[in-house]
Amino acid sequence: MIIGVPKEIKNNENRVALTPGGAKELIKRGHQVYVQSTAGIGSGFSDDEYKAVGVNLLPTIEETYAIAEMIMKVKEPIEAEYPLIKENQLLFTYFHFASYEPLTMAMIEQKSICLAYETVEKTDRSLPLLIPMSEVAGRMATQEGAKFLEKPMGGRGILLGGVPGVKPAKVIVIGGGIVGTQATKIAAGMGADVTIMDIDLYRLRQLDDIMPANVKTMVSSEHNIREEIKNADMVVGAVLIPGAKAPHLITRDMLSTMREGAVLVDVAVDQGGCFETTKPTTHAEPVFEVDGVMHYCVANMPGAVPYTSTLALTNATLPYAIQLADKGWEKACRDNEELKKGLNIVSGDVVYKAVADAFNLEYKDVEDYLLANA
């Protein structure tokens, strides 16, 4: 298979979808790998390192898309890339379709094969290609929130861990999954007074057993959220419904009850955000203020730590990329139920129900494609 790796062009996105080591694994299986020149620089991988393992370097993004049967990316294509995508070209990347209708409609129009990292799903319901970036984003959520609590950054001017004789900051984490757990661990390690909320009592019991004494657990409900955020210095939104739009758990009217200079960090921004006032921001302009409350809503948080993020992501994606390259997407998805669940759009049809439901589009069963071509 001919595999293309374009340079990411989203604002301050420094990750790359394939390391030189990953490229070598594909090449030794007989596949051709084309990487756009300087695509790996932001993650610490030079063009020479790619050339040394047999990668063909291309000078432009247009040439990279034009030659490839499978495109490997990190972030969803942005508008400038839409016309470069070919009919029946396989795109293997994060898409987060349910949060952005123009992207969904563009991929339908281009009749590409869209296999989304975020909906590849194991039998235990875990999301193996979302987990590594969720781990990074969860840890960064606390790190970034702590920074924007500083007065010069627009925050309350409170140190997350306090000092002897002065209370630490109060942190609320909504969601007890990967992101929420990682955000809680970092906040607890920095000495904050942390409450983690979830609707799953079993998960709360697990968290209660493993977290230190400065972490409390609480059932997530509208009443409890309203009460807890009144005294919060930082709130981390870490709620995920796989492939679907995130629910709004903090509404605009709740902001007036919060402390001035408090910080909201919405890690669910890729899926539409779990705060009503969320709107995507970039690393160039990461925050905005609504009703005296700072909002940090960067849609590609792990892009700020690209070396760590690229290695964590490609460790997870490479085994799936090898299957897709070795077998072609149809056979790979027939053989591997995890990959099959990653299919969102196939040749102009939406084959992932949560995406179809988000925009009232016709839903087609992916089996129609896989069985027809078996």
Side-chain angles (χ1 to χ4, degrees):
M1 184 178 278
I2 301 171
I3 297 148
V5 182
K7 185 173 182 175
E8 300 292 328
I9 56 175
K10 189 163 185 168
N11 181 286
N12 275 282
E13 180 50 72
N14 295 297
R15 290 173 289 180
V16 65
L18 194 65
T19 65
K24 184 176 182 178
E25 290 299 314
L26 288 161
I27 290 165
K28 76 182 186 184
R29 286 170 166 79
H31 306 297
Q32 297 177 59
V33 178
Y34 290 83
V35 174
Q36 185 183 346
S37 181
T38 72
I41 294 294
S43 295
F45 302 113
S46 69
D47 285 353
D48 286 343
E49 288 176 88
Y50 283 104
K51 280 195 287 189
V53 298
V55 165
N56 301 288
L57 292 173
L58 292 173
T60 68
I61 192 169
E62 290 82 5
E63 289 171 276
T64 310
Y65 271 97
I67 201 167
E69 297 168 278
M70 174 167 72
I71 290 288
M72 290 184 67
K73 279 178 52 60
V74 177
K75 290 303 290 178
E76 72 283 349
I78 64 173
E79 193 172 346
E81 294 171 272
Y82 297 170
L84 304 179
I85 295 163
K86 300 179 294 187
E87 185 172 343
N88 294 323
Q89 188 173 46
L90 173 62
L91 273 73
F92 189 37
T93 187
Y94 288 117
F95 280 104
H96 302 287
F97 281 121
S99 67
Y100 194 51
E101 188 172 8
L103 173 65
T104 307
M105 302 313 294
M107 294 304 100
I108 290 171
E109 187 176 334
Q110 297 303 115
K111 295 189 174 179
S112 55
I113 314 299
C114 300
L115 208 156
Y117 290 166
E118 73 273 8
T119 63
V120 172
E121 185 179 319
K122 288 183 171 288
T123 53
D124 63 2
R125 304 290 307 278
S126 65
L127 304 168
L129 306 189
L130 199 59
I131 285 172
M133 292 304 92
S134 295
E135 290 170 332
V136 173
R139 293 182 177 213
M140 279 192 70
T142 300
Q143 181 174 301
E144 296 301 311
K147 181 168 74 178
F148 286 98
L149 274 174
E150 296 171 10
K151 198 68 175 177
M153 309 302 289
R156 291 194 66 224
I158 185 168
L159 183 65
L160 210 62
V163 291
V166 182
K167 283 184 177 181
K170 184 173 175 59
V171 176
I172 308 297
V173 179
I174 307 175
I178 303 294
V179 170
T181 300
Q182 297 301 318
T184 299
K185 282 170 65 174
I186 300 303
M190 293 175 77
D193 174 8
V194 190
T195 299
I196 184 166
M197 308 177 80
D198 201 280
I199 57 173
D200 185 342
L201 277 173
Y202 177 73
R203 181 58 183 157
L204 292 177
R205 289 189 182 100
Q206 289 180 310
L207 290 166
D208 189 64
D209 283 342
I210 63 173
M211 290 294 175
N214 56 327
V215 176
K216 299 174 284 295
T217 60
M218 179 177 277
V219 169
S220 180
S221 66
E222 182 181 344
H223 172 79
N224 286 348
I225 291 170
R226 280 185 179 274
E227 290 302 309
E228 287 298 305
I229 66 172
K230 289 176 183 176
N231 298 309
D233 298 296
M234 183 200 307
V235 181
V236 177
V239 174
L240 173 73
I241 301 172
K245 202 169 187 304
H248 289 157
L249 300 179
I250 293 182
T251 55
R252 173 69 184 264
D253 68 289
M254 293 185 192
L255 299 187
S256 62
T257 70
M258 294 184 67
R259 292 169 164 169
E260 187 168 349
V263 176
L264 296 181
V265 182
D266 196 341
V267 190
V269 61
D270 274 330
Q271 292 293 131
C274 52
F275 309 141
E276 185 180 3
T277 43
T278 288
K279 61 182 181 183
T281 61
T282 66
H283 290 293
E285 295 182 48
V287 293
F288 60 93
E289 177 263 325
V290 180
D291 295 345
V293 176
M294 301 298 294
H295 290 58
Y296 180 95
C297 306
V298 174
N300 62 326
M301 289 173 64
V305 287
Y307 180 77
T308 300
S309 297
T310 290
L311 289 174
L313 178 62
T314 55
N315 285 343
T317 57
L318 183 62
Y320 293 100
I322 288 170
Q323 291 175 55
L324 291 166
D326 284 353
K327 300 178 179 181
W329 71 268
E330 290 162 306
K331 187 174 191 314
C333 291
R334 279 197 299 271
D335 292 352
N336 188 332
E337 192 74 23
E338 298 170 18
L339 268 175
K340 183 167 75 175
K341 289 184 176 178
L343 288 168
N344 279 218
I345 294 173
V346 174
S347 302
D349 292 323
V350 179
V351 297
Y352 197 86
K353 194 165 188 316
V355 175
D357 290 348
F359 306 118
N360 295 313
L361 297 169
E362 183 182 354
Y363 164 71
K364 284 209 170 183
D365 192 333
V366 70
E367 297 288 357
D368 294 346
Y369 285 95
L370 298 181
L371 293 174
N373 297 303

